[in-house]
Amino acid sequence: MQPTVTIKRLGWLAAATIVLGVLIGVGAGLLTLLLYGVEHVLLGYIEGPELPGPFGVPAARRAISVTVGLSIAGIIWYLMRHKTTAVPSVKKAVAGKRMPFWQTIAHVVLQIFIVGSGASIGREVAPRELGAMLAQRFCDLFHIEGVDGIDRRMVVAVAAGAGLGGVYDAPLAGMFFAVEILLVDVTIEKVAFGLGMSAIAAFVAVAIKGHHLFYDITAMQPESTPTLMVFALICGAACGVGGALFRKGSQWAEAHKPTGKAILWQMPLAGLITGLVATVVPQVMGNGRAAAQLGFSTFIPETAGTAGAMQSASSAAASPWNLLTGGGNVSDSASGGGAGSGMASFCMLQGGSGPSGSVMNAGFPLSQSNIWMLLGVLALTFVAKALVTLMTIRSGASGGVLQPGIALGSTLGAMLGLVWILMFPTDSVTVCALIGAASLLSASQQAPLMAMCLVMELSEAPITFFVPVGMAVATSSLISKWLLSRK
């Protein structure tokens, strides 16, 4: 039975929307600045559209940073989990489990810290936990759950979703996270409440951290094509399988986390292995932005010329493909082989060269040898990102899998796209990566609306591409649901 809508109820919901939206937005903005600060201190760079990953950081520094980061976090998490009140998950907080104040703050900061040091795990759980904790305190202070039947569970869930919306400037995704994943209940009131709080949180967070394009998809054709609908079905099916496997893997890793002193050696070991892998695959580090951008930046000029897609000089310079070869706008700290000579030699394609500072790989000529080279790098990135992320969770680290899921989907979509454009050159690899990112995230999270909106908001994709993306998300969701329901 739906509660009666009264002026008093609407007033309290409006107050919660504004107050919590502002507080969560401030928290999301500060957490983003904290991430940048940790990256600057430990790795000597700050992620952004011009440098999506630590490509210009010397290999030794990458390895030391993530090893030290996970070692410090392992010690603190061991003490927190055994010497004080444990921090419950957001879902348990929505169900009524109390989130302790200072322990939650420390837990949130640690998650941002390990991502900033280079650990392969998402950072989106931290602002959600902060939002849920603030909502619980707000309800306690004003006894809001006693006002005309206002549901405390709804307030906490919406605030958690606002944390996601604030940190990524994605209010639609934040709202859908609350109603689709946490509440599993869609009503006009919940949607309006969630969207309002997420929008305010996003607005405030952007005022603090600034607005930056998260994923560059400018190497994509401007319009959708009929053949993309067919590709969406194929990619959706493949990502449905991949997303289901990633979900099972992350659940297994979460269930087998060390409960005792083993975390004191397993997390440092996970950091060391991540650092060693990153000497060859630097895009494996962090929450997944660099790996995802690798898929989005895969650009074939001959095909793109037919499709109407163009890659600007600035986008090409910031492309992970260019950064991996040592060209483009890498930081000064890159001098002396920062990008990793192993991957650099692996990625050197026939993209042309120029004077110092020029764009080396604005695109790759379409040939059989280049296609295999691109597929090899993308496949290596896909496998490395999946395994290192699961290893990080298994070692005892806390964090999310949304951004890693997008990274896996983008690289898988790009791999399929490279084969697809051989048959249908009017499409671009970038749009195939976009379709893959949304569909694998949907499959792994079992949340098609949240996944689709998050990817579209982060990439600022043209609205016309909701059609093929929606087809792929629908396909992947159904296939993954069927696979996950099987024993």
Side-chain angles (χ1 to χ4, degrees):
M1 181 178 179
Q2 295 294 326
T4 303
V5 179
T6 64
I7 296 297
K8 185 178 181 181
R9 178 184 176 86
L10 289 176
W12 273 106
L13 288 178
T17 300
I18 296 171
V19 173
L20 286 175
V22 170
L23 291 175
I24 293 169
V26 171
L30 293 178
L31 288 177
T32 302
L33 295 181
L34 174 63
L35 174 72
Y36 296 161
V38 174
E39 288 176 338
H40 177 68
V41 172
L42 295 184
L43 289 167
Y45 94 110
I46 297 176
E47 69 175 61
E50 297 80 18
L51 193 58
F55 298 103
V57 180
R61 186 169 183 173
R62 292 197 296 263
I64 293 172
S65 172
V66 67
T67 303
V68 170
L70 285 178
S71 298
I72 293 174
I75 295 172
I76 299 175
W77 264 324
Y78 172 76
L79 295 174
M80 288 180 60
R81 293 169 184 175
H82 293 84
K83 305 298 182 181
T84 185
T85 305
V87 178
S89 66
V90 170
K91 286 189 175 182
K92 290 181 179 179
V94 172
K97 189 75 172 179
R98 183 75 171 175
M99 299 195 77
F101 182 77
W102 74 263
Q103 292 93 331
T104 299
I105 299 297
H107 191 59
V108 164
V109 169
L110 276 177
Q111 292 176 60
I112 301 299
F113 173 72
I114 64 171
V115 174
S117 72
S120 179
I121 199 167
R123 63 182 171 102
E124 66 278 349
V125 171
R128 299 201 307 249
E129 291 179 344
L130 180 63
M133 187 271 290
L134 291 173
Q136 287 185 344
R137 298 306 185 277
F138 181 86
C139 291
D140 292 342
L141 182 62
F142 296 104
H143 305 286
I144 191 172
E145 64 271 26
V147 179
D148 287 354
I150 292 179
D151 184 9
R152 180 189 182 100
R153 178 172 170 268
M154 177 182 70
V155 178
V156 175
V158 164
L164 173 65
V167 80
Y168 287 134
D169 191 17
L172 282 173
M175 179 271 292
F176 279 123
F177 179 84
V179 302
E180 193 176 26
I181 295 180
L182 296 179
L183 295 173
V184 197
D185 181 25
V186 181
T187 65
I188 292 178
E189 182 179 79
K190 291 181 176 64
V191 169
F193 188 33
L195 188 57
M197 191 182 297
S198 288
I200 292 175
F203 176 80
V204 173
V206 166
I208 294 173
K209 65 184 179 66
H211 173 74
H212 307 286
L213 180 65
F214 203 84
Y215 292 128
D216 182 356
I217 59 168
T218 52
M220 184 172 76
Q221 74 262 29
E223 299 291 340
S224 181
T225 62
T227 53
L228 274 182
M229 296 300 289
V230 180
F231 177 82
L233 290 172
I234 298 172
C235 185
C239 289
V241 176
L245 292 175
F246 185 59
R247 182 180 180 88
K248 286 185 176 181
S250 59
Q251 289 175 338
W252 174 87
E254 189 71 34
H256 289 81
K257 281 184 175 182
T259 57
K261 293 184 178 179
I263 191 176
L264 297 175
W265 65 265
Q266 288 190 18
M267 282 188 63
L269 179 61
L272 178 60
I273 295 174
T274 300
L276 293 175
V277 172
T279 61
V280 178
V281 194
Q283 63 270 25
V284 79
M285 297 184 75
N287 64 358
R289 183 175 188 173
Q293 191 60 58
L294 186 75
F296 293 135
S297 296
T298 306
F299 179 67
I300 305 296
E302 284 86 346
T303 303
T306 304
M310 296 179 64
Q311 189 176 36
S312 66
S314 60
S315 294
S319 167
W321 292 104
N322 187 54
L323 298 172
L324 282 169
T325 63
N329 299 328
V330 294
S331 65
D332 293 336
S333 64
S335 59
S341 58
M343 179 61 82
S345 60
F346 186 58
C347 292
M348 287 298 286
L349 304 178
Q350 301 170 9
S353 61
S356 176
S358 66
V359 175
M360 295 175 60
N361 292 301
F364 304 106
L366 186 58
S367 67
Q368 186 175 9
S369 61
N370 284 352
I371 288 292
W372 282 112
M373 192 75 76
L374 292 168
L375 285 172
V377 177
L378 289 167
L380 177 62
T381 302
F382 178 89
V383 173
K385 188 64 180 177
L387 293 180
V388 173
T389 299
L390 296 179
M391 176 193 65
T392 303
I393 298 172
R394 171 64 178 80
S395 71
S398 293
V401 291
L402 294 188
Q403 289 296 337
I406 292 176
L408 296 178
S410 174
T411 50
L412 178 56
M415 284 189 279
L416 296 173
L418 284 170
V419 178
W420 183 257
I421 63 170
L422 295 176
M423 299 178 289
F424 302 98
T426 55
D427 295 325
S428 64
V429 181
T430 299
V431 73
C432 296
L434 180 74
I435 290 171
S439 53
L440 194 142
L441 179 62
S442 170
S444 63
Q445 293 296 307
Q446 290 293 284
L449 295 175
M450 184 279 297
M452 181 169 58
C453 289
L454 181 60
V455 172
M456 297 294 279
E457 286 177 304
L458 288 176
S459 62
E460 299 183 9
I463 196 169
T464 183
F465 289 99
F466 264 108
V467 177
V469 169
M471 176 64 74
V473 165
T475 304
S476 68
S477 298
L478 290 174
I479 289 178
S480 62
K481 181 68 174 179
W482 174 70
L483 290 174
L484 292 169
S485 65
R486 299 182 67 188
K487 302 297 183 182

